[in-house]
């Protein structure tokens, strides 16, 4: 599979897999100047890229473990979803979960992109659902 990617900024970097077995491709910040993100704040970080995902697929934007664990920066919406009909710039909204201001610079790896198939089933209203052993047991009910 190939994904068509358009550079909206000549300084942008294409998504890149860190190893041959990586599930996610790194997304890079495309900035004219560093961006400081204070504790509890968010910042919109552009990638300088737009892409054309094939029908039936979505791009899921996840945190990079090193950014989240070492620098307390992760996508504000937890997982971003790039729909196959979206053609605008891929932007990552980073939230600072930490206690110190973090600075993002041009070329920093800010998130990872996983391309995945998507099912779009029809939803049908029914009067009852089939019964299971768990039934309506909620959070923490499995194995209890």
């Amino acid at each position: 599979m190939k994904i068509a990617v358009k550079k909206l900024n000549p300084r942008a970097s294409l998504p890149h897999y860190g190893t041959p077995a990586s599930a996610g491709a790194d997304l890079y910040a495309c900035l004219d100047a560093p961006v400081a993100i204070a504790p509890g704040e968010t910042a919109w970080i552009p990638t300088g890229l737009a892409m054309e995902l094939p029908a039936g697929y979505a791009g899921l934007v996840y945190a990079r473990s090193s950014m989240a664990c070492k620098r307390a920066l992760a996508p504000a919406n937890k997982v971003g979803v790039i729909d196959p009909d979206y053609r605008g710039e891929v932007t990552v909204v980073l939230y600072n979960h930490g206690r110190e201001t973090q600075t993002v610079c041009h070329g920093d790896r800010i998130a990872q992109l996983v391309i995945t198939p998507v099912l779009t089933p029809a939803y049908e209203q029914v009067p009852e659902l089939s019964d299971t052993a768990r039934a309506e047991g909620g959070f923490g009910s499995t194995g209890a």
Side-chain angles (χ1 to χ4, degrees):
M1 171 185 285
K2 291 187 179 181
I3 304 292
V5 179
K6 179 180 179 181
K7 281 190 173 187
L8 304 174
N9 183 317
R11 298 177 63 226
S13 297
L14 293 180
H16 176 76
Y17 293 98
T19 70
S22 294
D26 290 328
L27 293 174
Y28 297 84
C30 186
L31 298 168
D32 293 326
V35 174
I37 308 173
E41 298 293 325
T42 59
W44 294 65
I45 308 296
T47 65
L49 303 174
M51 57 187 66
E52 185 175 335
L53 300 175
Y57 289 83
L60 302 180
V61 179
Y62 291 101
R64 292 189 71 252
S65 57
S66 62
M67 286 286 277
C69 297
K70 295 178 182 177
R71 298 185 57 197
L73 294 175
N77 55 343
K78 308 304 180 218
V79 178
V81 178
I82 303 170
D83 295 311
D85 59 349
Y86 177 66
R87 296 294 184 270
E89 182 172 13
V90 174
T91 302
V92 179
V93 183
L94 289 178
Y95 176 77
N96 184 346
H97 294 270
R99 295 181 180 173
E100 298 177 12
T101 297
Q102 295 292 325
T103 301
V104 178
C105 298
H106 176 78
D108 284 353
R109 294 176 295 168
I110 56 171
Q112 58 182 321
L113 175 65
V114 176
I115 305 299
T116 186
V118 175
L119 301 175
T120 53
Y123 293 92
E124 175 185 5
Q125 182 177 337
V126 297
E128 296 294 328
L129 301 174
S130 63
D131 198 19
T132 67
R134 183 176 180 181
E136 294 180 19
F139 296 108
S141 66
T142 303

